[in-house]
């Protein structure tokens, strides 16, 4: 299984940005794709997760209302639409694949390389 995250970049506070995670080689136990982020010097933080079949999504409380996760089963791609970005959202955003919806990074078996999002004030 391979995950390729893209779409990061430098934006200004208040801007929106849409990240993509292209998934290839899904196996039988691959049911969900999640987004995490890691800022310099901080622990990896759960952002959102979505099920491939049902489309059911779960968000971290702090992300609700600003971030939207979605998936395109034909393109095998999961998206993360981010709005009203602030400098506190600056981080490497990583996508991960797992067997069930979870907020814990240890529950994910497959990881992409991440894409850097930098929000300037």
């Amino acid at each position: 299984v391979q995950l390729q995250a893209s779409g990061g970049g430098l934006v200004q506070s208040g801007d929106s940005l849409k990240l993509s995670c292209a998934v290839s080689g899904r196996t039988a136990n691959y049911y969900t794709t999640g987004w995490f982020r890691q800022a310099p010097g901080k622990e990896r933080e759960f952002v959102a997760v979505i099920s491939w079949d049902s489309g059911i999504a779960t968000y971290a409380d702090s992300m609700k209302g600003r971030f939207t996760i979605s998936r395109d089963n034909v393109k095998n791609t999961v998206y993360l639409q981010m709005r009203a970005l602030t400098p506190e959202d600056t981080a490497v955003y990583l996508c991960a694949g797992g067997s069930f919806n979870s907020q814990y990074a240890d529950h994910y078996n497959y990881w992409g390389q991440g894409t850097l999002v930098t929000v300037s004030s």
Side-chain angles (χ1 to χ4, degrees):
V1 179
Q2 291 188 331
L3 297 92
Q4 181 75 36
S6 61
L10 174 63
V11 297
Q12 293 186 336
S13 186
D15 283 352
S16 297
L17 196 63
K18 188 173 185 177
L19 306 182
S20 300
C21 176
V23 182
S24 60
R26 277 198 293 151
T27 58
N29 65 341
Y30 188 118
Y31 295 112
T32 66
T33 300
W35 283 98
F36 289 77
R37 69 183 186 182
Q38 190 161 17
K42 294 188 177 181
E43 294 186 355
R44 192 164 295 185
E45 179 184 22
F46 169 74
V47 175
V49 60
I50 190 167
S51 296
W52 279 102
D53 292 337
S54 66
I56 293 175
T58 303
Y59 296 89
D61 288 342
S62 60
M63 316 295 174
K64 289 180 182 178
R66 289 198 305 128
F67 291 6
T68 303
I69 190 171
S70 62
R71 91 272 192 243
D72 184 325
N73 287 5
V74 175
K75 295 182 178 180
N76 283 323
T77 301
V78 172
Y79 304 98
L80 184 68
Q81 176 70 55
M82 305 184 293
R83 303 175 181 84
L85 289 165
T86 72
E88 288 68 37
D89 295 313
T90 295
V92 173
Y93 284 72
L94 306 104
C95 55
S99 300
F100 55 94
N101 282 17
S102 174
Q103 300 186 23
Y104 299 99
D106 289 348
H107 291 168
Y108 289 81
N109 302 314
Y110 311 103
W111 289 86
Q113 87 292 352
T115 185
L116 177 62
V117 174
T118 304
V119 185
S120 64
S121 58

